[in-house]
């Protein structure tokens, strides 16, 4: 069982993703809904993996991605706007499209954890 941070500013989407992750036997950390909240969680706790919404309100999640990358925590982005929504320095990062499908979450988690 892995501990997975969810960073998502839309609570219903975060709850759906959390349900999928828990159904796959993993523990959810968060969800964090803002950059500050996510960074606060990361300063106190180190997840094994993370899912980051590309856009949190009017900000992109690049500061969180930078922290995760620095700490060698594998992560994937989530977006409904395609690869062009990814922060510039993270275009090659794994991505999942919204709305989520259980099979897509399962496949991405398998890729992150292998």
């Amino acid at each position: 069982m892995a501990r997975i941070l969810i960073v998502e500013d839309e609570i219903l989407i975060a709850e759906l993703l959390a349900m999928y992750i828990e159904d796959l036997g993993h523990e959810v950390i968060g969800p964090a809904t803002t950059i500050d909240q996510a960074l606060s969680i990361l300063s106190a706790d180190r997840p094994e993996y993370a899912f980051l919404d590309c856009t949190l309100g009017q900000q992109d999640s690049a500061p969180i991605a930078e922290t995760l990358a620095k700490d060698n925590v594998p992560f994937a982005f989530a977006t409904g706007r395609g690869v062009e929504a990814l922060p510039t320095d993270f275009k090659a990062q794994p991505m999942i499209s919204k709305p989520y499908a259980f099979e897509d979450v399962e496949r991405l988690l398998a890729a992150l954890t292998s």
Side-chain angles (χ1 to χ4, degrees), residues 22-46:
E22 289 170 347
D23 285 351
L24 290 166
H26 302 287
E27 178 184 347
V28 172
I29 300 171
T33 58
T34 65
I35 291 172
D36 289 342
Q37 189 177 34
L39 294 176
S40 177
I41 289 171
L42 290 171
S43 72
D45 196 1
R46 186 177 189 273

Side-chain angles (χ1 to χ4, degrees), residues 73-90:
V73 175
F75 64 95
F77 284 105
T79 182
R81 296 182 289 144
V83 70
E84 60 276 355
L86 299 181
T88 304
D89 293 341
F90 296 98

Side-chain angles (χ1 to χ4, degrees), residues 8-10 13 53-55 78-81 96-100:
E8 170 63 63
D9 62 345
E10 295 184 41
I13 293 172
D53 186 358
C54 285
T55 307
T79 182
R81 296 182 289 144
I96 189 169
S97 294
K98 295 179 189 179
Y100 302 121

